[in-house]
Amino acid sequence: MAQMEILDPTVEPRKQALTYVARPDSLAGKRIGLVENTKFNSDRLLLKIGEILKREYGAAETRMWRKHNAGVPAHAEIIEEAKRGVDVVVAGIGD
Amino acid sequence: MAAELVSRRYAVEDPADAVELCFDRGWTDGLPVVPPTEARVRAMLDAAGLSPEQEIAFITNRQVAVSAEKVAINAVMAGCKPEYMPVVVAAVEGLGDPRWGYHGPATSTGGAGVLMIVNGPVARALDFNCGDNLFGPGWRANATVGRAVRLVMRNAIGTLPGALDRGTFGHPGKYTYVIAENELESPWTPLHVERGFRPDQSTVTVMAAEAPHQVYNQLSSTASGILETMCDDMRVSGNVMGQPNYAVVIAGEHMRTIAASGWGKAEIRAFVFEHTKNSLAHLKRTHRLSGQVEPADETTLRPLLASPDDILVVAAGGRAGSFSVYIPGWASRRSSAAVTTLVQERRT
């Protein structure tokens, strides 16, 4: 028979409902947002990806934002400007 | 009536089984823990005047709210005395501060520990070590408060090595990394007073930090001599390019020599800032900075830190021995800044 009880030290993270917008059928004519995470070469990597999306997939334009640092999510200005100004976002990391 | 504890309960035969259950559930840092019984957890909460449901920190990236109950359970497991609980709570509050930026230092391959510097009357009252063998074992307060914070990170926030803690090396300070400032023998303004608190208040400063780097200088009888040695070592330490915080911990002999030169902490910071700059040419030749070395790079200097204020100067360590220590912070100050929080009784 059990003589003692101990308490669980762990915490369950809160559940977050995440939904994705529908993916576009084609990137032709789409405006591409690029979000770089400040790490070394992440801007160069994303610019190359942006060029490929324009050259090979017909994307209209690219625009890049820079996060405050690699350890935080994209800040509110990025989210708001991306919502208004681009159709698709590519977020990448470099290191 | 006391508020109910909501944590799941596990029945075990005896304390030895409780310890094994904690190992089996993955709740320990690899060492045995004290079984967190309700009586022990309540004593921990009572000592800080906290209700179990009170939120101590909210970690945004993890969407985890850390309650007083969970902090208390982990503090019991770490071996804390109940009177240490307000210090553990203050440190966890610091980790939840957006300026500390939990996700980066807790997760990064850079492998930072949480350096905790205790200041004020509580450091003496609870016997936090500020002297001999400063970073070593033997003091319950230092050993268990830092361990409790790491267990909160592991168990409550999910910072598990190999999963959400991806440190390439980590370091032994990730078990516990707590020091106090030797305010009674220091000739200088205590760290917490420099950071805006009163001398009679108690605080914990949390800094995402590498391991301590020890510097030896037995020859100099001046402040500048001792600090030149330190700066020569420190200049290419840590991330070099990251411009984080640094802690400079000055022990007894060096403390007395530097003070005899009439230098305070502001002079120490200014000197260290000026003497830890690297030329762009050196940074390029040693592959810390990309690009070809240009003629101007030989004379263009890049500071190790963004500002002299990013250096935390602490008087601590043994009375004997011509050593001091510097501790590089993790990444950049923009990613994680040292945060000082008040140690307080919450009893209303």
Side-chain angles (χ1 to χ4, degrees):
Chain A
M1 195 179 118
Q3 299 297 306
M4 63 186 292
E5 274 186 342
I6 63 169
L7 296 167
D8 186 335
T10 66
V11 175
E12 284 294 312
R14 288 179 194 168
K15 296 280 189 289
Q16 294 184 84
L18 290 175
T19 53
Y20 295 96
V21 294
R23 291 189 169 222
D25 293 331
S26 160
L27 293 178
K30 292 286 191 286
R31 301 162 300 173
I32 311 292
L34 306 169
V35 180
E36 69 111 339
N37 75 343
T38 75
K39 289 205 171 194
F40 192 63
N41 278 338
S42 67
D43 52 349
R44 294 171 67 183
L45 175 70
L46 283 167
L47 285 174
K48 285 196 175 187
I49 290 171
E51 285 305 309
I52 292 170
L53 296 182
K54 282 197 285 192
R55 191 174 63 241
E56 297 182 19
Y57 294 86
E61 61 185 51
T62 62
R63 178 177 174 190
M64 183 177 286
W65 289 279
R66 187 174 168 83
K67 295 203 306 180
H68 286 317
N69 68 68
V72 296
H75 46 279
E77 289 89 339
I78 296 179
I79 304 290
E80 287 307 312
E81 288 179 22
K83 281 196 320 205
R84 286 198 301 271
V86 298
D87 303 301
V88 171
V89 169
V90 180
I93 61 170
D95 215 345
Chain B
M1 188 179 141
E4 196 177 340
L5 302 182
V6 298
S7 296
R8 184 174 170 186
R9 290 157 191 267
Y10 290 80
V12 289
E13 288 295 326
D14 56 33
D17 285 345
V19 171
E20 287 304 320
L21 178 74
C22 291
F23 276 123
D24 291 345
R25 303 289 305 179
W27 294 342
T28 92
D29 51 12
L31 295 167
V33 293
V34 174
T37 60
E38 174 160 359
R40 290 181 180 131
V41 171
R42 285 205 180 279
M44 202 63 72
L45 290 165
D46 288 348
L50 286 165
S51 294
E53 74 284 1
Q54 278 180 256
E55 185 174 297
I56 305 302
F58 184 75
I59 307 300
T60 308
N61 286 67
R62 296 281 295 133
Q63 290 291 296
V64 163
V66 182
S67 67
E69 176 174 337
K70 294 297 180 183
V71 175
I73 293 170
N74 284 285
V76 168
M77 291 169 68
C80 290
K81 290 183 182 179
E83 53 264 42
Y84 301 168
M85 179 66 174
V87 184
V88 178
V89 168
V92 173
E93 283 180 330
L95 301 196
D97 190 303
R99 292 169 295 174
W100 201 77
Y102 186 90
H103 182 67
T107 310
S108 169
T109 48
V114 183
L115 173 66
M116 293 164 240
I117 305 161
V118 183
N119 276 99
V122 81
R124 272 92 65 192
L126 299 179
D127 194 27
F128 279 91
N129 183 26
C130 64
D132 291 342
N133 207 29
L134 182 69
F135 294 97
W139 276 263
R140 183 173 177 178
N142 303 57
T144 62
V145 166
R147 188 185 188 205
V149 170
R150 180 54 59 175
L151 289 178
V152 168
M153 294 172 73
R154 177 188 182 90
N155 291 327
I157 308 175
T159 303
L160 291 171
L164 287 174
D165 172 358
R166 302 307 297 258
T168 306
F169 288 103
H171 63 81
K174 292 180 86 165
Y175 282 97
T176 183
Y177 204 3
V178 179
I179 64 173
E181 182 157 23
N182 185 354
E183 294 175 26
L184 296 183
E185 292 182 284
S186 167
W188 301 315
T189 306
L191 178 70
H192 69 310
V193 177
E194 288 192 302
R195 292 172 72 83
F197 294 88
R198 297 192 313 267
D200 63 325
Q201 291 178 312
S202 295
T203 64
V204 182
T205 300
V206 292
M207 178 183 131
E210 288 188 9
H213 298 231
Q214 189 165 290
V215 178
Y216 178 53
N217 178 328
Q218 200 175 29
L219 298 176
S220 295
S221 56
T222 63
S224 60
I226 288 167
L227 294 175
E228 273 171 7
T229 307
M230 176 176 281
C231 291
D232 185 50
D233 201 297
M234 187 172 167
R235 191 174 299 119
V236 288
S237 63
N239 204 23
V240 181
M241 299 302 297
Q243 296 182 311
N245 283 115
Y246 267 72
V248 168
V249 185
I250 299 175
E253 287 190 25
H254 285 175
M255 179 177 78
R256 291 188 289 276
T257 301
I258 294 170
S261 293
W263 290 30
K265 289 185 174 179
E267 288 78 17
I268 295 169
R269 277 194 292 271
F271 186 94
V272 170
F273 180 77
E274 285 303 320
H275 291 78
T276 50
K277 294 175 179 173
N278 287 289
S279 72
L280 297 188
H282 177 73
L283 294 172
K284 287 182 174 179
R285 286 195 188 102
T286 54
H287 315 290
R288 294 176 165 101
L289 190 64
S290 64
Q292 294 292 315
V293 178
E294 308 292 341
D297 292 342
E298 302 290 352
T299 52
T300 305
L301 298 179
R302 186 181 196 283
L304 188 62
L305 299 122
S307 156
D309 294 337
D310 294 342
I311 304 167
L312 312 182
V313 181
V314 181
R319 285 182 174 181
S322 302
F323 301 98
S324 286
V325 150
Y326 65 88
I327 303 172
W330 169 83
S332 71
R333 187 178 177 231
R334 232 179 125 167
S335 304
S336 179
V339 172
T340 303
T341 52
L342 190 64
V343 176
Q344 52 186 327
E345 285 261 337
R346 319 296 161 116
R347 208 181 305 274
T348 52

